[in-house]
Amino acid sequence: MIFIFGANDKVIEKQHCYNQEHCYHCNNTTNWVLEKNATFASLFFISVFPIKTRYVYYCPICKNGNQLNEDEYHWKKNGR
Ligand SMILES: [Zn+2]
């Protein structure tokens, strides 16, 4: 029997933040995007379980942004 293992990235949650943020990269002030994504282990090309979760916060115009930890992500998500 042959098993095919792999890994793939998935966006789990994506939303615009309530607070506006100024981007020094493209010089625009907009509602930045909060995104949670994860790398899933897959078996026969079907995602089985997440291996790694990432939280990112970025400018929707130029995609400039930074990574957040889980707490920061939830604070921003709740509008703080
Ligand atoms: Zn920008």
Side-chain angles (χ1 to χ4, degrees):
M1 188 145 179
I2 301 162
F3 292 99
I4 303 165
F5 291 103
N8 51 46
D9 291 326
K10 264 188 185 177
V11 174
I12 299 171
E13 280 177 4
K14 189 175 179 175
Q15 69 170 71
H16 285 270
C17 195
Y18 300 111
N19 303 318
Q20 293 210 320
E21 197 90 43
H22 183 77
C23 176
Y24 293 99
H25 191 255
C26 65
N27 228 15
N28 284 295
T29 302
T30 45
N31 294 80
W32 282 28
V33 177
L34 272 169
E35 198 178 281
K36 178 184 179 180
N37 52 52
T39 304
F40 278 84
S42 64
L43 182 60
F44 299 111
F45 310 107
I46 299 159
S47 298
V48 192
F49 58 87
I51 314 168
K52 197 176 150 193
T53 309
R54 281 178 307 276
Y55 302 91
V56 285
Y57 184 53
Y58 62 85
C59 167
I61 298 159
C62 67
K63 312 281 187 226
N64 166 56
N66 40 52
Q67 266 198 4
L68 303 175
N69 63 38
E70 198 176 344
D71 288 339
E72 290 170 332
Y73 177 82
H74 288 292
W75 288 334
K76 287 202 186 295
K77 200 179 153 188
N78 296 325
R80 271 186 269 173

